[in-house]
Amino acid sequence: MKLRHVRAVAVFGIVVFALTGARGSHGGSCGGGHSSSGSSSSGGSSSGTTSGSDGSDSSSTSSSGSVSGGAKAGDKAERDIRINECKMDASGKKLVARITVTNSGSLDATYGFIVKWRGDSTASPAVASVTGLKVKAGASQTTEATTTYLGKGNGSEYKECVVSSATKNTF
């Protein structure tokens, strides 16, 4: 095989690896397969749990979540975060991401992260943040990131929610 063919195969493999999120994504699509569901809304932040604009979603919409993005420093923090579910709350006014953070380190840590809801072309940008979530070394904690649903439907325009960036500070 010629060297140029070997290079082409190597580049193709790297591209596939990068595009599939093979670095440890913990989610899936909204259409099923995983237990996350997506909704839309604009976001805010709070300590320990997330907050955004007010609003609720109907629990019938379900999509998956994943971890993506982030700089090298945030990679370890992102690996500790798992999106369990993305959905609308019962009132249909808020998008909710249910998240478990597992501190894989040997020191207690404080986490902060941003959750984004992704959808089709009709979906309004929706973001929520969690700040100051304290998790003891080797322990797990579940929290929610919420934001107001700005759409006019049932949230089905959102296909997934993802962690777009994360920080972990030990103390």
Side-chain angles (χ1 to χ4, degrees):
M1 188 183 284
K2 296 195 182 238
L3 182 57
R4 66 182 170 164
H5 292 125
V6 172
R7 272 188 256 161
V9 170
V11 169
F12 178 76
I14 291 169
V15 169
V16 168
F17 182 82
L19 291 176
T20 60
R23 117 191 128 131
S25 169
H26 297 113
S29 68
C30 293
H34 290 292
S35 62
S36 296
S37 65
S39 296
S40 70
S41 183
S42 62
S45 67
S46 73
S47 187
T49 60
T50 65
S51 68
S53 346
D54 62 294
S56 326
D57 288 352
S58 61
S59 301
S60 62
T61 300
S62 174
S63 67
S64 67
S66 65
V67 176
S68 68
K72 292 268 185 204
D75 286 351
K76 271 192 168 180
E78 289 179 6
R79 280 181 263 180
D80 289 353
I81 300 168
R82 179 169 186 252
I83 297 177
N84 303 317
E85 181 178 34
C86 299
K87 65 179 184 177
M88 296 220 354
D89 71 3
S91 70
K93 296 179 181 177
K94 287 188 181 184
L95 296 171
V96 179
R98 188 145 179 81
I99 300 156
T100 300
V101 178
T102 302
N103 183 348
S104 60
S106 59
L107 299 172
D108 295 352
T110 301
Y111 289 83
F113 50 91
I114 296 172
V115 176
K116 291 184 179 180
W117 280 262
R118 295 181 181 168
D120 62 27
S121 61
T122 65
S124 301
V127 178
S129 64
V130 173
T131 58
L133 180 67
K134 294 180 181 179
V135 183
K136 294 199 177 280
S140 294
Q141 185 164 337
T142 301
T143 189
E144 290 184 343
T146 63
T147 188
T148 302
Y149 176 60
L150 301 175
K152 297 181 181 183
N154 64 359
S156 62
E157 68 272 26
Y158 293 94
K159 305 302 178 199
E160 69 178 345
C161 62
V162 297
V163 173
S164 64
S165 66
T167 60
K168 177 182 179 181
N169 296 305
T170 57
F171 56 97

